[in-house]
Amino acid sequence: MDKEREHIIADKTMLRVARVTSIVFTPFSIPFLAFLVLFLFSYLRIMPILYKGIVLGIVYCFTILTPTITIFLFRKINGFARQDLSERKKRYVPILLTIISYVFCLLMMRKLNIPWYMTGIIFVSLVVSIICILVNLKWKLSEHMAGMGGIIGGLVSFSALFSYNPVVWLCLFILIAGILGSARIVLGHHTLGEVLSGFVVGLVCAFLVLHPAYNFMFRVFFILKTI
């Protein structure tokens, strides 16, 4: 009986940790987290506080606040519970609402002439969301893990751009990615394949947009804007 009780307690603890991890590292919070890390722990911390506040405010409004409110209203109008959105057929509108928010954020940052490597973080999120909605036609990717893959790819890319050692941060976020991926599987929201695929999509997109050696996607974006 004692062993059975210990197993029940362990299972409840695991579920609680999984839920908390999924809530903290939502796809919405990851772009904001990326900017926060950039402003606190890179040479960009020397920028004026007002400038950093404006950028973080824009990112928060368009990547966290707006998607959260619009998706909440979508759920209430349609009578969906939060867990219902993990179903593939019900994910289209939430992802589309997120894409629209990212587009407005990207346009706002471009209008304010924010440097490309900052705008690129939002562009990565936008590309990942577009891939997710296209893949969602037949399959399902983990957006949580796509975000974590994007952060890890961004760390490597920014280390090449700014010449700093990313090992400590890489170890931290790889650990978080492992915990988050396990949480998504434990909660039954994704399979192992969906978790790994999401991570790879985020990682590759970050390299193709942000890495100075491979960022042809961002160059194409700039060319299209000048036409």
Side-chain angles (χ1 to χ4, degrees):
M1 289 296 292
D2 289 338
K3 287 185 178 180
E4 184 178 348
R5 186 177 179 183
E6 288 177 2
H7 283 305
I8 293 172
I9 293 173
D11 290 341
K12 287 182 178 179
T13 302
M14 184 181 296
L15 285 172
R16 192 176 296 113
V17 171
R19 290 192 186 99
V20 170
T21 306
S22 293
I23 291 171
V24 172
F25 296 99
T26 64
F28 303 144
S29 67
I30 287 175
F32 184 80
L33 177 63
F35 274 93
L36 203 58
V37 170
L38 199 63
F39 284 147
L40 290 177
F41 302 104
S42 75
Y43 87 96
L44 296 179
R45 65 180 178 273
I46 66 174
M47 287 183 166
I49 294 177
L50 179 60
Y51 181 84
K52 290 188 287 188
I54 291 172
V55 174
L56 288 174
I58 292 171
V59 173
Y60 177 81
C61 286
F62 286 103
T63 67
I64 296 180
L65 186 62
T66 303
T68 300
I69 293 174
T70 54
I71 291 173
F72 174 79
L73 293 174
F74 168 74
R75 287 199 301 108
K76 290 300 180 182
I77 291 170
N78 291 276
F80 294 157
R82 185 188 298 272
Q83 58 270 23
D84 291 336
L85 297 182
S86 62
E87 297 179 22
R88 183 174 63 84
K89 293 181 179 179
K90 295 178 181 178
R91 286 160 56 93
Y92 291 106
V93 174
I95 297 176
L96 183 60
L97 291 172
T98 303
I99 288 173
I100 294 171
S101 296
Y102 286 162
V103 168
F104 277 105
C105 184
L106 193 62
L107 294 174
M108 178 68 73
M109 295 178 80
R110 288 293 301 137
K111 188 173 182 180
L112 294 175
N113 294 318
I114 292 174
W116 73 268
Y117 48 84
M118 293 189 202
T119 312
I121 295 173
I122 304 300
F123 191 59
V124 171
S125 302
L126 176 61
V127 172
V128 169
S129 297
I130 292 172
I131 291 174
C132 285
I133 201 170
L134 292 175
V135 172
N136 198 64
L137 294 170
K138 294 293 183 181
W139 203 45
K140 187 171 70 169
L141 293 177
S142 172
E143 294 177 72
H144 287 74
M145 291 306 295
M148 291 308 302
I151 283 186
I152 292 172
L155 283 171
V156 175
S157 299
F158 282 130
S159 70
L161 186 64
F162 299 135
S163 300
Y164 70 89
N165 188 343
V167 172
V168 174
W169 286 102
L170 279 176
C171 291
L172 175 62
F173 280 104
I174 288 172
L175 176 62
I176 293 173
I179 295 172
L180 183 59
S182 301
R184 301 306 292 169
I185 295 171
V186 168
L187 292 172
H189 294 317
H190 292 286
T191 64
L192 178 60
E194 292 167 353
V195 164
L196 293 176
S197 299
F199 180 82
V200 170
V201 166
L203 185 70
V204 171
C205 287
F207 275 128
L208 295 180
V209 174
L210 295 172
H211 199 285
Y214 312 114
N215 63 348
F216 70 91
M217 289 179 70
F218 207 76
R219 293 170 194 166
V220 170
F221 175 72
F222 270 109
I223 291 172
L224 291 175
K225 280 189 67 66
T226 57
I227 295 176

